[in-house]
Amino acid sequence: MTESTTFSALELSELRLAAVETLGWTEPTPVQRQTVPLVLERRDVVGIARTGTGKTGAFMLPALDMVRAGGGLQVLVLCPTRELAHQVQEDTVAFARGSSLRATVICGGVGYQPQLDALARGDEIVVATPGRLIDLKKRGKAKLTGVRILILDEADRMLDMGFRPQIEEVARGLGARPQTLLFSATMPNGVHDLALRMTKDPAWVEVSPSGTMAQGISEIAYSVRPDKKPGLLVHLMQQPGWEQVLVFTRTKRGADALRSRLDKARVSCDVIHGDRQMRERGRALDRFTEGKVRVLVATDIAQRGLDIEGISHVVNYDVPMDPGDYIHRIGRTGRAGATGVAVTFVTASDLGAFRTLEYQLERRLEKVHHPDFDFAGGIVQERPEAEAPRSRSGRGMGSKAGEALDPEELAALLAHG
Ligand code: AMP
């Protein structure tokens, strides 16, 4: 395994290096640095790495270098969800830039014809969810015997979703045993078993999680038009489970404007920011912790010291500019073993900042779009809004002092508790 930190030392082809350069990637991530040489040596790999670590590049960049253009289907990626399949396919298209290699998605929920066409055409790379692939295989439309590289992406999620029989059925339908790469964020026994069964003498690659992943918190990004933000928040407040919600805005003016909108929509709400008297802020905090208002709108002043138990949702009404801010903000929910939800509103002009945030966090957030509030194009949709997770945290409230940015101010705030 090379210790180098440049892509050019990874022995990828010039085409791949150019594609990576076009993407603006200057250095391989740890999982890429470790995995690329192994794949090029034709080793089987079991990678413990979550989405956001750069694992797609880790398996697909070298895989593309081993594919023969015009040779029919050679790389098969199995994914748990169609959203991930689309993401992997889009990344693959970017990596294949400058070549004639084609990558297609085979997944449920959409018409068969384009997928049948892609299979008939012999696209070299197929990214599939197991269900639809088996369906097409049974109809004799998916010929998998030419597959030389099999990639199981997010294996833990696939097993959670009950796809083990389908994965095994797909594997049985392949010709000679393919080079097999299995990636999983976690390695419970079921995934370990699958890894041992599907791979031969694999190299194990483990990328330590960033350590900042907030346990028990679902992180979701909504794409939204700027003028639709208040409407989206009001809509969300009407959903089950949206009980005690802490909303962060970038500016004091934004916080006040949002309060008026929530008042008009009859969503009980209070505000804490630097322009409010200490007494007013203390009262606002009390009303929130006692459950008298459902929403507390805060600017960053409240961010680090605020430690209120039982917050069901944290909303980043504006994309935080700093990953540290993001982590501290979302840390307000899902405390003490409760499940929390952190929602970030992303407008079209936030897309750059949002991608940077994801990269710095080393993970991708789930994307949800809602047609009434979305901007054209949106961010990549990952699941319909109706399936967004509900918080299971209770309403029991209580406050205690946490790590404070400004101890005096917080002491004053919390003295009212
Ligand atoms: P993944 O874990 O493959 O979903 O990748 C997570 C995010 O990191 C994606 O937005 C990628 O485009 C980005 N990414 C992956 N590898 C690199 C790299 N070496 N340099 C910069 N960004 C990267």
Side-chain angles (χ1 to χ4, degrees), residues 7 25 27-29 32 50-57 359 364:
F7 274 105
W25 297 2
E27 274 184 16
T29 65
Q32 290 163 358
R50 64 175 74 251
T51 293
T53 53
K55 66 179 167 53
T56 316
Y359 181 60
R364 274 180 174 162

Side-chain angles (χ1 to χ4, degrees), residues 7 20 23-32 49-59 61 84 87-88 91 95 153-154 355 358-360 362-364:
F7 274 105
V20 161
L23 286 169
W25 297 2
T26 49
E27 274 184 16
T29 65
V31 69
Q32 290 163 358
R50 64 175 74 251
T51 293
T53 53
K55 66 179 167 53
T56 316
F59 61 70
L61 286 166
L84 181 64
Q87 220 164 61
V88 171
D91 287 352
F95 300 151
D153 198 7
E154 296 199 355
R355 293 283 177 223
E358 279 193 321
Y359 181 60
Q360 289 168 329
E362 298 184 343
R363 59 180 182 263
R364 274 180 174 162

Side-chain angles (χ1 to χ4, degrees), residues 10-207:
L10 291 183
E11 299 189 14
L12 289 163
S13 66
E14 291 300 322
L15 267 180
R16 299 294 87 79
L17 294 179
V20 161
E21 199 178 330
T22 306
L23 286 169
W25 297 2
T26 49
E27 274 184 16
T29 65
V31 69
Q32 290 163 358
R33 207 161 49 232
Q34 295 182 51
T35 308
V36 168
L38 292 165
V39 178
L40 292 174
E41 284 166 24
R42 302 193 177 276
R43 291 283 305 269
D44 281 5
V45 175
V46 179
I48 307 170
R50 64 175 74 251
T51 293
T53 53
K55 66 179 167 53
T56 316
F59 61 70
M60 195 52 87
L61 286 166
L64 291 183
D65 271 348
M66 293 154 78
V67 167
R68 192 168 62 79
L73 173 56
Q74 294 154 71
V75 177
L76 174 62
V77 186
L78 292 183
C79 295
T81 63
R82 65 178 104 140
E83 294 76 19
L84 181 64
H86 279 286
Q87 220 164 61
V88 171
Q89 187 258 0
E90 281 166 22
D91 287 352
T92 304
V93 169
F95 300 151
R97 196 170 184 271
S99 72
S100 61
L101 298 176
R102 285 164 306 193
T104 199
V105 172
I106 303 283
C107 67
V110 289
Y112 281 85
Q113 201 53 49
Q115 302 180 2
L116 292 172
D117 293 345
L119 287 169
R121 199 166 57 214
D123 284 8
E124 292 87 350
I125 299 102
V126 162
V127 188
T129 53
R132 175 62 67 94
L133 187 65
I134 295 278
D135 183 6
L136 292 178
K137 192 170 152 291
K138 282 189 175 140
R139 296 166 187 236
K141 302 292 185 192
K143 194 166 159 282
L144 306 179
T145 47
V147 171
R148 292 192 294 127
I149 303 180
L150 173 67
I151 298 157
L152 305 175
D153 198 7
E154 296 199 355
D156 47 357
R157 257 175 105 190
M158 285 203 280
L159 294 193
D160 283 349
M161 292 169 79
F163 282 141
R164 182 164 186 146
Q166 286 90 336
I167 294 171
E168 294 187 339
E169 188 172 344
V170 169
R172 280 196 299 274
L174 307 179
R177 207 192 75 80
Q179 182 180 7
T180 302
L181 316 174
L182 179 148
F183 285 83
S184 190
T186 57
M187 194 52 57
N189 288 343
V191 182
H192 195 258
D193 285 353
L194 185 74
L196 293 182
R197 227 176 121 94
M198 304 282 293
T199 60
K200 197 172 159 210
D201 185 25
W204 292 73
V205 170
E206 182 160 3
V207 182

Side-chain angles (χ1 to χ4, degrees), residues 6 11 22 39 45 49 57 96-97 118 163 167 232 239 254 285 292 296 315 396 409:
T6 61
E11 299 189 14
T22 306
V39 178
V45 175
R97 196 170 184 271
F163 282 141
I167 294 171
L232 175 59
Q239 306 309 307
L285 194 63
K292 290 180 182 152
L296 184 65
V315 175
E409 192 163 57

